[in-house]
Amino acid sequence: EMKSKANGIHANNTDVDSRTDHTRWRLKDDRGAQTWHYLDSDDELEKWPQSIADKYHLGLPTNLPDLPPAKTPLECARNGLTFFEQLQLPSGHWACEYGGPMFLLPGVVIAWYVTGTPIPDAYRREIRNYLYARQNKHDGGWGLHIEGHSSVFGCAMNYVTLRICGASAEDPRMVKARGTLHKLGGAASGPHWTKWWLSVLGVAEWEIVNPVPPELWLLPDWAPIAPWRWWVHIRYVYLPMSLAWSRRWSMPPNDFTRELRAELYTQPYESINWAGHRNSIAKEDNYQPKHWILNTLNWLLVMIWIPFLRTDWLVQRAENWVWTLIKGEDENSDYADLAPVNGAMNLVACHIVDGPDAYSVRRHRERIWEYLWMKDEGVLCNGTNGVQSWDTAFLIQAAVECGFATDPRWKPCLTKALGFMEDQQMRENATGADQPYRQKRKGAWGFSTKLQGYTVSDCTSEGAKAVMMLQSAPGYPKLISDARLRDAIDIILTMQNPSGGCASYEPTRGSLYLEYLSAAEVFGNIMIEYDYPECTTACVIALSHFRSLYPSYRAAEITAFVARAVQYIRRAQRPDGSWYGSWGICFTYAGMFALESLKSVGEVYSNSARVQRACRFFTDRQFADGGWGESYKSCEDQVWTPHPDGSQVVQTAWVVIALLEAGFPDQEPLRRAVRLLVRRQRANGEWAQEGIEGVFNKSCMISYPNYKFIFPIKALGMYAARYGDDAVV
Ligand code: LAN
């Protein structure tokens, strides 16, 4: 096979026969660390047979048997869990595709390319397959996320990714994608992150990138804009971004990147006025336009700071400090990092500073595999290194709601899940250079794994809740001691804002005015932490549950926390009775949580006009078939938008849970909704994948495929507990 010098790029790959043999893929679970392996040799195939979970995730037939048809809610829940149990991995957790965002894989692939990391052939093919499968039908482009309209961010980044993975520029699908990219203005109208990645790749010039000065990290901690106050994701992305920007580091051009230079723009590369395009941005990308304050600041930086005031001494100090913080983050997460964005960027940073053969570079390369996911369409990049702790905690709770914890049938499955939660609780605080800026984590659960190592308020809360629920059930081992539960409670008690609400990873550290400095364009509300009804409720419920089991530990603080949190929930309700959701789509998701908070302090339909308004918001929007369905546009526009495909299983389940928490007095709407859940279930107990379920930063959607099992099971259990297990179909 002809390969060009440039890192295994196939000179003229025509993409015929790009499929790999799906029966050769295996998902490895190493205490929750998930990696997909393609087995080349028949020898290996025999030693490592494909599991049902492998087949399911690959879209291969699982041949799981049809179950006795469900007529009652609990029969339906039982069938659902019978199927879902087959997907539990050896370490006790559940895995899934966690895709949606279309800018993650490009970061990984560009980082591989510029650091000279070989991409295994099976991966290169399946990355191509995935991106082709995900081209928007009408224009061949890609958007910010899998359901989004084509944008420069999506088109430029994924076009480059396909090319690096061997796609030919003449392939008709590439021609179409390029046409759309050019119609949108070409790569020069991309957002900040596109411009940064293309400059690193050496297919744009650094003058097109708005400043990312590492000097900001030299500001004293008391400065209102000091980066430690920013949302953890944005400040950890800023670190490697600023390092490469400061060094103006680009991969040296080669034949392949010179081709890309000719393909990405609407005019010849040499004729482009790079500085003049710093603020060019296609309207399709411009979700949160840069504020004039940031534009002014950028202008001052470019015109005055950089040419006249940015001394070598300062640059050196800033780069050193930024590098120290990058190393801290790498070491605290064993080089997996917070998410694949800064993970890929830190790989580049380590390559720049430590050189291509350093341990840091090699370890990054190893850990990055945990972000990649293989499915029927091909290989994509997950939003985190998995959903392990989060989904497992929810599944435990759903099973308990159904009364399954007292049924020996489910004991092996639930005991394994409990064992996983035990293994994944963080036991030590972070150490090292970035430690002063880190939230405490001893006792916390994160979203994915302990090794990733980031406290999340609601992940800790849902984890603690699941453990408490299951450990109180007869016959379950007490794997987590009282002391360790108290550690979790101590963490939750650090998470409340003065407003009473809770944010995601840390209490809010900076002012709302920091949004004026938001440079990313494609996301909303990205600069600081905010109060979220979802996270707040999780904390409220975990604390309340704990107080009922251990009434003497920090009781006054817990009571005060809960009272203030519920006050926040009340304030966050909109006039129409709804709550805006930030992590699931959208009003159906947040309403479920908010009503659970209110219920926990005894505020329900019978005694609260507020709860009645909330129920009315939902009952007014029930579809004729009994379900609910909400489009992702709700998140973007912050107004209720019905799902174009009608009822969705996940959102129907959320509303059933919400109305049951609220003590809604009329059974009929609930019965119809539950009937829909039963009817949508397949004969083998599974539910089919429908629309995308999750969101972040208002504009980017993300998949939570396990929700279609977890939340119907929970809703069915709660319904049966309230109304009995009578037939609904
Ligand atoms: C997640 C996933 C989980 C999610 C919940 C626990 C559901 C939420 O309640 C709190 C916030 C959290 C932890 C969360 C934050 C932002 C994440 C990590 C993501 C949505 C998954 C991917 C996303 C991350 C920011 C993607 C990279 C993009 C950047 C803008 C850096």
Side-chain angles (χ1 to χ4, degrees):
E1 230 172 346
M2 247 288 289
K3 286 183 185 178
S4 77
K5 276 202 303 285
N7 197 21
I9 299 297
H10 290 236
N12 251 319
N13 192 319
T14 47
D15 281 327
V16 265
D17 192 25
S18 68
R19 260 180 85 83
T20 61
D21 178 356
H22 286 194
T23 66
R24 289 175 175 269
W25 287 91
R26 304 287 183 276
L27 177 61
K28 181 170 159 207
D29 163 26
D30 180 7
R31 281 179 74 183
Q34 306 160 1
T35 44
W36 278 97
H37 301 264
Y38 188 72
L39 307 185
D40 281 310
S41 85
D42 296 348
D43 228 37
E44 290 174 294
L45 282 182
E46 247 162 65
K47 277 191 245 136
W48 187 358
Q50 211 167 26
S51 70
I52 290 170
D54 293 338
K55 290 181 190 161
Y56 175 81
H57 294 305
L58 290 161
L60 299 172
T62 55
N63 298 323
L64 286 172
D66 286 358
L67 303 168
K71 293 206 161 31
T72 73
L74 285 182
E75 285 167 7
C76 180
R78 227 170 274 129
N79 285 358
L81 192 54
T82 301
F83 185 92
F84 199 48
E85 184 189 29
Q86 298 291 327
L87 308 183
Q88 190 176 27
L89 296 184
S91 70
H93 78 283
W94 280 266
C96 62
E97 163 193 5
Y98 190 43
M102 288 305 286
F103 58 93
L104 302 175
L105 189 58
V108 170
V109 170
I110 296 175
W112 274 339
Y113 185 69
V114 302
T115 59
T117 306
I119 310 175
D121 184 59
Y123 268 87
R124 293 191 321 127
R125 292 175 189 221
E126 291 297 351
I127 287 172
R128 295 203 303 265
N129 291 339
Y130 180 75
L131 293 180
Y132 285 143
R134 282 292 163 186
Q135 276 184 297
N136 286 330
K137 289 284 160 302
H138 59 293
D139 64 4
W142 299 269
L144 180 63
H145 57 90
I146 51 175
E147 295 191 7
H149 61 264
S150 299
S151 66
V152 177
F153 198 21
C155 292
M157 301 282 280
N158 288 298
Y159 182 90
V160 166
T161 305
L162 269 162
R163 293 282 282 124
I164 292 176
C165 290
S168 145
E170 273 81 61
D171 185 292
R173 295 164 291 192
M174 297 296 278
V175 173
K176 195 166 176 193
R178 198 162 62 235
T180 296
L181 172 60
H182 286 194
K183 219 176 287 150
L184 294 167
S189 346
H192 194 216
W193 290 12
T194 299
K195 289 168 168 153
W196 185 89
W197 274 115
L198 296 186
S199 301
V200 165
L201 180 59
V203 301
E205 300 297 317
W206 276 105
E207 295 80 73
I208 200 174
V209 183
N210 268 317
V212 200
E215 298 86 287
L216 273 187
W217 275 100
L218 296 178
L219 286 170
D221 285 352
W222 55 260
I225 66 165
W228 72 276
R229 301 175 183 279
W230 306 357
W231 190 41
V232 65
H233 279 282
I234 208 66
R235 74 169 186 265
Y236 276 112
V237 164
Y238 194 95
L239 286 169
M241 267 194 138
S242 71
L243 190 83
W245 175 86
S246 189
R247 301 264 179 111
R248 306 292 194 276
W249 188 90
S250 295
M251 197 189 77
N254 58 35
D255 290 347
F256 169 68
T257 55
R258 270 187 284 269
E259 284 175 25
L260 282 182
R261 287 178 174 191
E263 293 161 27
L264 291 170
Y265 301 95
T266 53
Q267 62 186 95
Y269 192 81
E270 287 66 32
S271 71
I272 295 174
N273 170 8
W274 298 99
H277 280 298
R278 258 194 315 115
N279 292 311
S280 300
I281 172 96
K283 66 176 192 312
E284 287 77 3
D285 291 73
N286 208 5
Y287 180 77
Q288 183 171 309
K290 295 191 295 301
H291 197 268
W292 63 263
I293 293 180
L294 177 63
N295 286 331
T296 311
L297 251 168
N298 280 336
W299 188 88
L300 291 171
L301 286 170
V302 169
M303 294 302 173
I304 298 169
W305 179 256
I306 296 166
F308 303 116
L309 302 174
R310 200 170 181 254
T311 61
D312 289 349
W313 178 81
L314 199 66
V315 170
Q316 211 44 61
R317 279 196 51 189
E319 286 184 8
N320 286 346
W321 180 227
V322 157
W323 174 240
T324 304
L325 293 175
I326 290 174
K327 279 197 297 194
E329 149 77 335
D330 279 350
E331 282 157 20
N332 271 318
S333 60
D334 190 18
Y335 298 84
D337 297 340
L338 178 57
V341 182
N342 82 318
M345 289 177 175
N346 279 7
L347 165 59
V348 176
C350 288
H351 174 90
I352 297 173
V353 177
D354 284 343
D357 304 317
Y359 172 78
S360 61
V361 171
R362 284 182 283 132
R363 189 63 185 145
H364 268 296
R365 285 180 180 141
E366 285 164 12
R367 294 301 310 280
I368 244 175
W369 292 113
E370 289 171 44
Y371 285 109
L372 298 172
W373 184 264
M374 172 65 188
K375 60 177 294 199
D376 50 355
E377 293 169 311
V379 165
L380 60 109
C381 180
N382 281 346
T384 57
N385 60 331
V387 300
Q388 296 86 334
S389 297
W390 180 250
D391 280 11
T392 305
F394 269 136
L395 185 278
I396 292 174
Q397 295 180 40
V400 171
E401 295 289 352
C402 292
F404 292 165
T406 52
D407 182 344
R409 162 74 183 83
W410 304 110
K411 207 166 162 203
C413 165
L414 294 177
T415 306
K416 251 166 59 180
L418 179 63
F420 183 77
M421 296 308 292
E422 189 279 322
D423 190 40
Q424 295 299 322
Q425 187 185 25
M426 294 173 221
R427 308 291 295 277
E428 304 295 337
N429 284 319
T431 54
D434 64 335
Q435 188 273 331
Y437 300 134
R438 292 283 301 258
Q439 190 69 16
K440 290 270 174 292
R441 72 180 185 193
K442 181 176 180 217
W445 278 273
F447 182 72
S448 57
T449 58
K450 165 176 158 177
L451 202 50
Q452 187 254 8
Y454 279 86
T455 299
V456 185
S457 66
D458 54 354
C459 300
T460 304
S461 300
E462 300 295 353
K465 221 187 339 170
V467 167
M468 286 187 280
M469 284 169 119
L470 207 50
Q471 291 194 163
S472 322
Y476 279 86
K478 187 160 182 171
L479 299 183
I480 299 223
S481 64
D482 290 352
R484 283 174 64 182
L485 264 181
R486 286 196 297 268
D487 288 343
I489 296 306
D490 291 346
I491 290 288
I492 300 171
L493 285 172
T494 67
M495 301 301 299
Q496 191 168 38
N497 281 323
S499 63
C502 299
S504 58
Y505 296 79
E506 296 155 349
T508 308
R509 298 173 174 187
S511 120
L512 205 57
Y513 295 117
L514 271 168
E515 287 298 337
Y516 293 156
L517 303 184
S518 181
E521 293 138 331
V522 292
F523 306 112
N525 280 10
I526 200 175
M527 290 299 289
I528 56 167
E529 286 272 12
Y530 291 86
D531 295 326
Y532 303 110
E534 305 96 303
C535 301
T536 308
T537 296
C539 296
V540 164
I541 304 301
L543 290 174
S544 307
H545 198 117
F546 176 84
R547 189 179 45 188
S548 69
L549 298 177
Y550 308 85
S552 59
Y553 185 71
R554 299 186 73 175
E557 286 157 278
I558 291 176
T559 301
F561 185 117
V562 168
R564 288 193 302 141
V566 173
Q567 266 314 106
Y568 152 74
I569 296 282
R570 294 187 181 113
R571 276 201 318 277
Q573 190 179 24
R574 303 178 159 214
D576 64 5
S578 68
W579 284 267
Y580 176 80
S582 294
W583 307 109
I585 302 169
C586 175
F587 297 101
T588 45
Y589 185 68
M592 166 176 75
F593 286 98
L595 288 166
E596 191 184 6
S597 267
L598 295 177
K599 153 83 177 302
S600 78
V601 294
E603 185 169 344
V604 289
Y605 193 93
S606 59
N607 61 19
S608 162
R610 179 193 325 279
V611 173
Q612 289 164 15
R613 266 207 317 281
C615 292
R616 181 73 192 274
F617 178 85
F618 286 134
T619 50
D620 281 353
R621 287 161 180 80
Q622 189 172 23
F623 286 127
D625 63 3
W628 283 266
E630 195 181 357
S631 153
Y632 75 82
K633 295 276 179 202
S634 284
C635 306
E636 282 185 357
D637 304 340
Q638 306 188 51
V639 285
W640 171 273
T641 315
H643 199 287
D645 303 336
S647 296
Q648 303 282 302
V649 161
V650 171
Q651 289 160 339
T652 301
W654 287 343
V655 179
V656 168
I657 295 167
L659 292 175
L660 287 167
E661 295 289 3
F664 183 68
D666 182 2
Q667 182 183 355
E668 192 45 28
L670 286 160
R671 203 185 57 82
R672 286 168 50 224
V674 164
R675 194 175 55 196
L676 179 120
L677 297 178
V678 176
R679 287 204 172 140
R680 291 262 172 111
Q681 189 176 43
R682 293 179 175 173
N684 61 7
E686 75 174 308
W687 281 275
Q689 181 61 37
E690 300 176 338
I692 199 159
E693 303 87 352
V695 60
F696 56 90
N697 300 118
K698 291 200 155 71
S699 59
C700 193
M701 306 306 134
I702 185 158
S703 306
Y704 287 81
N706 290 335
Y707 281 4
K708 63 180 176 281
F709 294 99
I710 292 166
F711 287 104
I713 291 173
K714 177 171 177 181
L716 292 160
M718 286 177 67
Y719 177 89
R722 168 79 179 76
Y723 291 112
D725 196 29
D726 298 332
V728 292
V729 290

